[in-house]
Amino acid sequence: MIGLRIFAKWVMIVGLCLMFLSSGIYKLIGHSETTVAFQAFGFPHWFQVVIGLGEVLGGLGLLMKKYARYAAYTLAVIMLGATIILLLHGDTTTVAIPFVLLLVFLLIGRQSGSKKQPNNATPI
C-alpha cells in the first residue's frame, strides 16, 4: 500500500511540475493570451516575466527533494496572489483553481520540510 501512495504522490508532483513549467514558459515567451490577461489585470510586462520565472523554477524545484519545500511555498505565494487578484476582479468562476492549488502547495511544503524522527529520539 505504501508503494501505491508513493507512486500517486510522484504522479501528482510530476503533473504539477509539467503544468507549471508550461504555464511559466508561456509567460516567459510572452504568449499573446497570457500577455492580454496580465494587461487586463493592470500588470506591467516585467511582472509577467517574474511570475513566469517563479513558475518555471517552482515547477522544477518540486522534483528535487532538497528544494521541494521552497518550490512549493513559492508556488503557494503565486497562487495566493492569483486567488486575491481573481477575487478583487470579481472572477468567482475560476478562483477555485488557484485556491485549491494554494492548499496543495502548502501541504506539499509542510510534508517536504518534516523530518521524521523516532519517538524516543531527541533532537540535537
Side-chain angles (χ1 to χ4, degrees), residues 65-117:
K65 196 172 203 170
K66 183 176 180 179
Y67 301 110
R69 182 180 201 182
Y70 305 111
Y73 286 145
T74 298
L75 292 170
V77 169
I78 292 172
M79 291 300 100
L80 175 62
T83 300
I84 291 169
I85 292 301
L86 289 172
L87 286 173
L88 289 176
H89 284 84
D91 189 354
T92 56
T93 57
T94 59
V95 74
I97 296 168
F99 181 70
V100 169
L101 287 170
L102 164 66
L103 297 177
V104 167
F105 289 129
L106 289 175
L107 182 62
I108 291 171
R110 184 169 182 249
Q111 294 298 317
S112 296
S114 65
K115 304 270 189 208
K116 295 183 180 175
Q117 297 179 1

Side-chain angles (χ1 to χ4, degrees), residues 35-72:
T35 302
V36 167
F38 269 77
Q39 289 173 347
F41 289 127
F43 293 115
H45 180 69
W46 65 265
F47 189 71
Q48 177 179 330
V49 173
V50 168
I51 296 300
L53 190 60
E55 289 180 352
V56 167
L57 294 175
L60 290 173
L62 289 174
L63 297 176
M64 296 178 260
K65 196 172 203 170
K66 183 176 180 179
Y67 301 110
R69 182 180 201 182
Y70 305 111

